[in-house]
Each structure stands twice: as structure tokens, then as C-alpha cells.
Amino acid sequence: MEYDHIVIRYGELTLKGRNRKLFTTQLANNVRQALRNFPAIKVDKKRDRMYIVLNGEDPDAIMEKCRKIFGIQNMSVALKVENDETAIKEQALKLITETENVRTFKISTKRSNKEFPIGSQEFNHVLGGYLLANTENITVDVHQPDLEITVDIRSEATYLTSKKVPGATGLPVGSSGKSLLLLSGGIDSPVAGYLTMKRGVQLEAIHFHSPPYTSERAKEKVLDLAEKLSFYGHSIKVHIVPFTALQQKIHREIPHGYSMTVMRRMMMRISEEVAKQEGILSIVTGESLGQVASQTMESMHAINAVTNYPVIRPLVTMDKDEIIRISEDIDMYDISIRPFEDCCTVFVPKQPKTKPKLEKVEQFEANITFDQDIQEILSSIETIEIQAKDKQEEEMEDLL
Ligand code: ATP
Ligand code: MG
């Protein structure tokens, strides 16, 4: 069956009265961006839903792309018909006979256009009766039909839609500002990034890298994770921070029990500076309460004390199992478990303080100045922009 439209329903967006236009405009932009390799399509944004006019493009491939776009509650393929009883009957019949393996059907009419002369209930019977009379071996089943046809009679036209495919839900990326994600190569931070994007936040990422203690492949792993994230938001800037010298200095100058706390504080300070430069107003981490020494209440308190920026921790109350499940669902897990050392694991002391005291950390840091080191680091950050490419674009690049 040749469907000619995809209907996209907004879900949560419908609740956001005043900001709604902003959200729908952002969503339409994100849809256009994600579907840039389908030149024939047209995106038609309406107040309460959006249509993708297919103009001959493949609906399945487009639905697949749309499943990663936050802000879509659900979607369906649709056939647009004029508001005319005969035309609707003919097209519905075509739909039912040309769809494979249909033994049972159900009609659900929604008549928002009250000028259409037949009421919803009545039209269910009129159309159902017509379909029964013009097909063989097909019956009505209102509970578990093989094919449910929704007849959506609206002012401009009628849409015959089949089943609803769930969307990614959440809010359109870009509608809730921007955050800087501290992205390690582990399991947690990519999941934290994904969940933040789901709330409509566009991300940049920052990664602390300590060559030669950490390898090029550890960096590649982070870039691969960033690429996976970029599919949810078009592109991601990744700031790679050369952290070796500062880590060595911490290792030399700070009592070992406290070196991890100080290292984290430096990461926060550098992240805040990068956020400032980029006009970003918050920081995201993959911390989860109680997971490791650096994630106790005392540790978080001592680390957080260096910044006034909001630190978003989407995983703070989650169990590891829950985090792993999301990581697998979004196809990041296999990358995250590649066995390359992270800068934090390389320098982690044998017995880090699990309950560091803020006054003590401040005392230790008071004797040394890190400002110069931080300035040097900031001037040698490497920034890489990761674009979400689809298969078609990758193949083109390979040919060049
Ligand atoms: P993850 O699975 O995200 O690596 P983790 O369980 O290993 O987290 P920690 O090592 O305590 O926990 O790291 C806590 C958070 O600090 C990470 O989720 C991440 O946001 C940030 N982080 C840790 N190492 C780095 C790094 N090398 N670069 C950037 N951010 C980092
Ligand atoms: Mg880690």
C-alpha cells in the first residue's frame, strides 16, 4: 500500500501552552535536519501535529529516522483523502485489500470537522459495512484486529492512518538550552547525556585525556560514544582536554587519599571555564550515588564546592542494572565496555578517601596554585565537531 504521509503526534508538547510554538518549531527543524537525505519530503507543521508529506520517499526508512527524534510521542503512516464519503470508502477498501495478511479489521472514526455530514459512530458502521460488502473472508474484530484504520476527518482533509508507532518521547533537542557533558569512556556518562538530551537539552561534551597513560583508542572510544549521542541531536562538539601534566602535579603535591577529590575539583573548574566560553549554563555528569568512592555525599559536596553552575546528575538515584539496561537499549554498551583505561582509573590512589572533608581539601590546595596550569590547559584544548552521519553519507565519503 502506498501511504503518502506520516502523521507525527507531539504528546507532552501539547501541555506546554506558551512555549508550544517554540517547541513545535524546534521539532520541525530537527525533523528536517534528520531527514535531510530525503530531498522530496515536505514537513508541514500544524498546531497539534505534524505531517511529513512523503512525495514518493520510503515511509519505513523515514519512520526509522524519526524514532530517534525526541519530542515525538507516536507516529503513523497515513493516506490523505478528500472529505468525501465515496473517496474515503474507495481508499479504505484499497488499504484493506492491499495490506497483507488482513483477516480482521476495525474502523475508528474521529470527526473533528463537524461540517462532515456523518457522525463518528455512524461512519464506523457505514464504512465497516461497505468494507464487509466488498471483501471476502474479512470480518470485524474490535478487540484485536489485524488492521485498525483510523479515519481522521479534519477540516482540510481526511487521513486514513494505521497503527501508532511509539516515538522517542521527551522534548525536542534544543528547546531546553545547552549543557556540557563530562564524557568519560564508561557506561554511565553517555547514558546521562542521552537522558539529558531527552529533556530537550543540546549537548557539548568534555573529555579529560592523559596521554601516554591513556591511549589514542581510549579517545576514539569517547568520540564513538559522542557519535552515538549525536544521532539524537544532529551534532556534538567534543572538547578534549590534555590532563596529564595537571594529574602528575596533583599526584606529586596532594596527599594520596585526597588526590582523587582534587582531580575531580580540577575537572569541574576546567569544565566551568569551557562552559563559560561556549555560553553554556550547566554541567552534566554520570554520577550515581554510592557507586564508587568519588560518589559519596561527602565527595559530591567537596567536588561541587568549586562551581556555582547547576550540575545535572540524571543517574543519581539509579541502580547500575537500570543504567546498563538503558545503555544497551541505546546501543552504547558495547562501546562503553571496550577495555581502554580512563584517566581517572590510571591515577586513582589505592585508598581514596571516601569521606573527604571540604576544609581539608581546601587546605591542601591552598599551598599550591593551580590557576596557571588551568590556563595552560584551556589554551590547548582540542575541539572536534562530531556530525551524525547516516549510512548513505558514509558511503559517499568512502567513495571520495
Ligand atoms: P562513567 O561510567 O561515566 O565513567 P563512573 O561510574 O566510572 O562513570 P566516575 O569515574 O566516578 O564514575 O566518574 C563520574 C563522572 O565523572 C562520570 O560519569 C563522568 O561524567 C565524569 N568523568 C569521569 N572521568 C572522566 C573523563 N576522563 N572525562 C570526562 N568526564 C569524566
Ligand atoms: Mg568511568
Side-chain angles (χ1 to χ4, degrees), residues 30-41 65 234 387-390 393:
N30 295 356
V31 168
R32 284 191 192 99
Q33 188 52 248
L35 300 179
R36 63 193 177 283
N37 289 321
F38 299 91
I41 61 138
K65 286 258 162 210
H234 176 48
Q387 297 276 347
K389 292 195 200 83
D390 58 20
E393 284 168 320

Side-chain angles (χ1 to χ4, degrees), residues 30 33-34 36 173 197 227 229-236 385-389:
N30 295 356
Q33 188 52 248
R36 63 193 177 283
V173 172
M197 292 178 96
E227 193 191 359
L229 283 172
S230 71
F231 284 110
Y232 296 92
H234 176 48
S235 74
I236 288 189
E385 176 128 16
I386 308 273
Q387 297 276 347
K389 292 195 200 83

Side-chain angles (χ1 to χ4, degrees), residues 265-280:
R265 283 161 60 90
M266 296 303 145
M267 284 167 80
M268 272 294 167
R269 282 175 62 181
I270 294 166
S271 300
E272 184 185 300
E273 289 305 320
V274 171
K276 265 183 206 153
Q277 283 171 12
E278 301 289 312
I280 292 174

Side-chain angles (χ1 to χ4, degrees), residues 2 8 41 43 58 67 74 108 172 183 205 232 256 258 262 291 313 319 341 350 352 384:
E2 290 268 315
I8 289 182
I41 61 138
V43 175
D58 174 16
R67 290 185 70 139
N74 60 57
S108 307
L183 182 61
Y232 296 92
H256 284 186
Y258 273 84
V262 172
Q291 235 188 48
R313 300 181 175 90
D319 294 345
E341 295 270 36
K350 282 203 187 66
I384 302 172

Side-chain angles (χ1 to χ4, degrees), residues 136-365:
E136 280 167 22
N137 301 326
I138 294 183
T139 55
V140 172
D141 180 349
V142 291
H143 302 294
Q144 278 194 314
D146 297 332
L147 181 68
E148 174 165 2
I149 302 176
T150 302
V151 183
D152 201 355
I153 305 171
R154 300 171 73 88
S155 57
E156 74 280 8
T158 294
Y159 294 87
L160 304 181
T161 67
S162 73
K163 69 169 186 302
K164 288 178 179 169
V165 175
T169 70
L171 300 171
V173 172
S175 64
S176 310
K178 215 176 198 189
S179 234
L180 182 64
L181 169 68
L182 272 78
L183 182 61
S184 71
I187 296 168
D188 301 337
S189 43
V191 173
Y194 163 82
L195 292 174
T196 306
M197 292 178 96
K198 191 170 178 190
R199 295 313 299 163
V201 178
Q202 197 184 333
L203 290 184
E204 289 191 16
I206 183 165
H207 176 68
F208 295 83
H209 175 59
S210 299
Y213 302 101
T214 58
S215 64
E216 260 316 284
R217 297 176 72 183
K219 178 173 146 189
E220 269 168 35
K221 178 181 174 185
V222 169
L223 296 177
D224 287 349
L225 289 167
E227 193 191 359
K228 286 274 177 195
L229 283 172
S230 71
F231 284 110
Y232 296 92
H234 176 48
S235 74
I236 288 189
K237 259 193 201 175
V238 185
H239 306 278
I240 306 277
V241 181
F243 206 38
T244 319
L246 184 52
Q247 276 194 308
Q248 286 168 328
K249 180 165 174 177
I250 294 169
H251 192 70
R252 275 196 317 269
E253 309 278 348
I254 301 285
H256 284 186
Y258 273 84
S259 62
M260 192 186 54
T261 312
V262 172
M263 180 191 78
R264 296 279 184 198
R265 283 161 60 90
M266 296 303 145
M267 284 167 80
M268 272 294 167
R269 282 175 62 181
I270 294 166
S271 300
E272 184 185 300
E273 289 305 320
V274 171
K276 265 183 206 153
Q277 283 171 12
E278 301 289 312
I280 292 174
L281 303 180
S282 65
I283 289 169
V284 182
T285 75
E287 288 162 299
S288 168
L289 201 52
Q291 235 188 48
V292 286
S294 63
Q295 297 176 16
T296 61
M297 203 62 88
E298 290 79 1
S299 261
M300 281 197 204
H301 179 250
I303 295 164
N304 217 145
V306 296
T307 182
N308 283 324
Y309 270 51
V311 179
I312 301 173
R313 300 181 175 90
L315 311 185
V316 79
T317 62
M318 283 191 188
D319 294 345
K320 195 74 186 182
D321 303 357
E322 291 176 81
I323 300 169
I324 289 178
R325 212 176 314 128
I326 302 175
S327 170
E328 286 171 339
D329 282 351
I330 59 178
D331 208 16
M332 305 234 189
Y333 188 71
D334 288 343
I335 304 177
S336 288
I337 59 172
R338 286 186 207 156
F340 306 115
E341 295 270 36
D342 186 71
C343 68
C344 307
T345 35
V346 174
F347 281 90
V348 85
K350 282 203 187 66
Q351 282 185 316
K353 277 264 179 242
T354 52
K355 297 188 173 180
K357 294 200 172 54
L358 180 58
E359 314 83 72
K360 279 205 158 182
V361 189
E362 286 175 345
Q363 235 172 42
F364 293 138
E365 286 182 15

